[in-house]
Structure formats: C-alpha cells, structure tokens
C-alpha cells in the first residue's frame, strides 16, 4: 500500500506497545487506511496527512506526535522514507517512549488468600492521556514467597514492564480507589475497542455500586476485554492517598519515589 500506509501501521503498533487501551477522543472519517483513522481518533495523526504520499516532513511529524508527549526530544529522522528506514526509526522512537513511561503497578490479593490475585491496576500518569489501567486477572497468582514478578510479567508489553509496584489485600486497595466519596469512575477505553464488539469510542460512567466489580472485570460491559482504561471523575486518589497506602502495602518504592510516578508530563 505504500510508505504512508506502512508509516501509520508502524506507529499504531508502537502506540499499542506503549499505551494499552489508549482512549479515542474524536471521530475520524474519509480514510481508506484504517490505521490513519485509528491514529486520528487519538489525535496522533499530523494535520494534512496524505495517505497516498509520505514526505520526510510528514514522517518526522508523525514520530514527533508519538514521542514528545512523554517528554522525549525526538531524534531528527534521516529524511529517507523507504519501508526499511521507517521500521528502524519507528523502533528507535518506541524505545525512547518506553524508557520514559512510568507505570506504577498495584496488585490486590484476595483477603483470605494472599497468593491469589483479585485485581491489578497500573497508575499510568506519565502519558498523553493520564489514567488508570485495569487488567483482567482471572486465575492469576503471586509467585513463590508472594513474589510479584509473575504478575508484572503478565501486564508487561513488548515495550515496557513495571519496575515499581505495590501489593496489598483487595479490601485495602478497594478503599484506596473508593475512599473519596465524591470520586466516580469512568471507563474511557478498552483493548477491545475498534472491533465489531463495541464502538471505538467506548466511554461510560460506572455506577458507584459497580466500581469494585469493574476493577475485577466482573461486569458485562467488560466482557472480552483484557485491559480497560479508567478515569476518576470528581477527584480520585492523589499523592496523600498513595502515601497513606504505603503504610499498608508491600512495595519496592521509597517514600520520596511516589511523586515520580504520579507526575503528569
């Protein structure tokens, strides 16, 4: 289909690797290239994009949109737009973004079984779309001696694996997420988006009584999804709540590390 189609396919794959369940925020129409439409729905397609002709300037702008939101200064592309060069330069951009992301994993175990995982979330703030990632954890368990590594491996992508983590019982984690009486929860995307099962702009407010069931993927709306993107409505947990959680968890974080993971670029 030509270099322009190869470029959008490569950048879409890079976004998938960096950003599980990246939310769509607008409509896109008029593209024969589905990858161009997917990127435009996420505001990651350069203005004036020509899907029939790829210029060095358009490719550079596509890579800039991929990297700059993470605080990465994009390398100047070579100016070549053959497919082999696109693959190489997209890989470099992906690696730069992966080195910049700051996932903080919170693993909640069942109150009566400190090995069996109840739900897993990732505080995902250092991103163009700050949010909470929730993972379906059916059948997941901690490793020997309650080691968290096997769970971190499950939520890792080909680009990143969380290095910072907390683990606590599900009741304490649930209190952290629902403790603010005015904080609601909104689903803004899943990894199932863009399929025939659900429109690309999956977005709905979670009823208060279903917040924990949503984190556990025990609601029909998340059938078939492995990852969901969630936002807090009306003020969710902040630095104070995370610091409070530190007193009741196992973690590899120090007290002064928290701000690094809650920061927004």
């Amino acid at each position: 289909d030509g270099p322009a189609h190869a470029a959008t396919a490569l950048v879409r794959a890079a976004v998938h690797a960096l950003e599980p369940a990246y939310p769509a925020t607008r409509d896109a129409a008029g593209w024969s290239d589905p990858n161009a439409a997917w990127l435009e729905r996420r505001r990651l397609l350069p203005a004036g994009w020509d899907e029939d002709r790829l210029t060095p300037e358009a490719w550079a702008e596509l890579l800039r949109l991929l990297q700059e939101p993470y605080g990465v200064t994009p390398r100047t592309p070579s100016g070549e737009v053959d497919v082999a060069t696109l693959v190489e330069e997209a890989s470099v951009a992906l690696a730069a973004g992966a080195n910049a992301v700051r996932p903080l994993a919170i693993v909640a175990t069942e109150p009566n079984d400190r090995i069996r995982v109840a739900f897993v979330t990732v505080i995902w703030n250092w991103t163009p779309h700050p949010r909470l990632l929730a993972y379906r954890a059916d059948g997941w368990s901690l490793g020997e001696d309650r080691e968290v590594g096997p769970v971190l491996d499950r939520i890792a992508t080909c680009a990143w694996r969380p290095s910072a983590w907390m683990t606590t019982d599900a009741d304490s984690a649930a209190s952290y997420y629902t403790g603010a009486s005015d904080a609601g929860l909104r689903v803004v995307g899943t990894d199932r988006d863009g399929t025939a099962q659900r429109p690309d702009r999956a977005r709905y407010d979670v009823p208060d009584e279903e917040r924990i069931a949503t984190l556990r993927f025990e609601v029909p709306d998340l059938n078939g999804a492995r990852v969901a993107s969630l936002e807090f409505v009306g003020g969710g947990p902040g630095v104070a709540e995370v610091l409070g959680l530190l007193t009741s968890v196992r973690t590899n974080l120090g007290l002064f590390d928290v701000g690094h993971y809650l920061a927004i670029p």
Side-chain angles (χ1 to χ4, degrees):
D1 291 324
H5 285 238
T8 54
L10 286 166
V11 171
R12 178 177 178 176
V15 173
H16 270 305
L18 283 174
E19 293 278 359
Y22 194 86
T25 58
R26 66 180 178 188
D27 294 321
W31 300 104
S32 62
D33 176 7
N35 295 316
W38 189 93
L39 291 170
E40 182 171 346
R41 283 192 288 270
R42 289 155 181 84
R43 303 180 187 273
L44 294 171
L45 192 71
W49 182 258
D50 185 344
E51 60 183 328
D52 297 317
R53 177 174 175 267
L54 180 65
T55 65
E57 294 76 19
W59 174 239
E61 178 65 5
L62 192 59
L63 291 182
R64 184 190 69 78
L65 291 171
L66 175 63
Q67 296 172 85
E68 278 192 353
Y70 302 96
V72 174
T73 301
R75 284 178 47 180
T76 302
S78 65
E80 302 296 326
V81 291
D82 59 279
V83 172
T85 300
L86 299 183
V87 170
E88 179 182 353
E89 293 179 349
S91 297
V92 171
L94 173 58
N99 286 334
V101 297
R102 303 178 184 184
L104 170 55
I106 300 180
V107 180
T109 56
E110 297 291 359
N112 59 351
D113 186 342
R114 295 190 300 173
I115 296 298
R116 187 158 59 95
V117 175
F119 57 87
V120 178
T121 56
V122 171
I123 296 176
W124 192 245
N125 280 0
W126 194 261
T127 166
H129 200 125
R131 62 199 189 278
L132 182 74
L133 301 177
Y135 289 80
R136 182 181 297 277
D138 298 346
W140 291 13
S141 298
L142 300 182
E144 295 183 8
D145 300 321
R146 298 172 62 204
E147 207 274 309
V148 139
V151 175
L152 302 183
D153 290 340
R154 284 179 178 268
I155 64 179
T157 74
C158 64
W160 56 264
R161 176 184 185 274
S163 59
W165 55 268
M166 301 178 181
T167 180
T168 188
D169 67 273
D171 290 342
S172 295
S175 177
Y176 164 71
Y177 286 122
T178 62
S181 59
D182 62 342
L185 200 61
R186 176 177 294 150
V187 174
V188 294
T190 74
D191 62 336
R192 187 188 54 192
D193 293 351
T195 71
Q197 294 173 290
R198 191 177 184 92
D200 206 23
R201 293 182 67 183
R203 186 181 185 91
Y204 62 92
D205 289 335
V206 176
D208 288 350
E209 67 275 11
E210 293 183 4
R211 286 183 291 182
I212 300 306
T214 295
L215 293 174
R216 287 174 172 267
F217 281 70
E218 293 174 347
V219 292
D221 280 317
L222 294 182
N223 286 346
R226 189 186 75 88
V227 189
S229 284
L230 310 174
E231 288 180 348
F232 288 100
V233 182
V239 174
E241 287 79 11
V242 175
L243 291 175
L245 192 62
L246 281 175
T247 65
S248 62
V249 302
R250 291 191 304 121
T251 181
N252 66 344
L253 279 183
L255 184 63
F256 299 105
D257 296 332
V258 172
H260 175 79
Y261 294 96
L262 298 189
I264 294 174

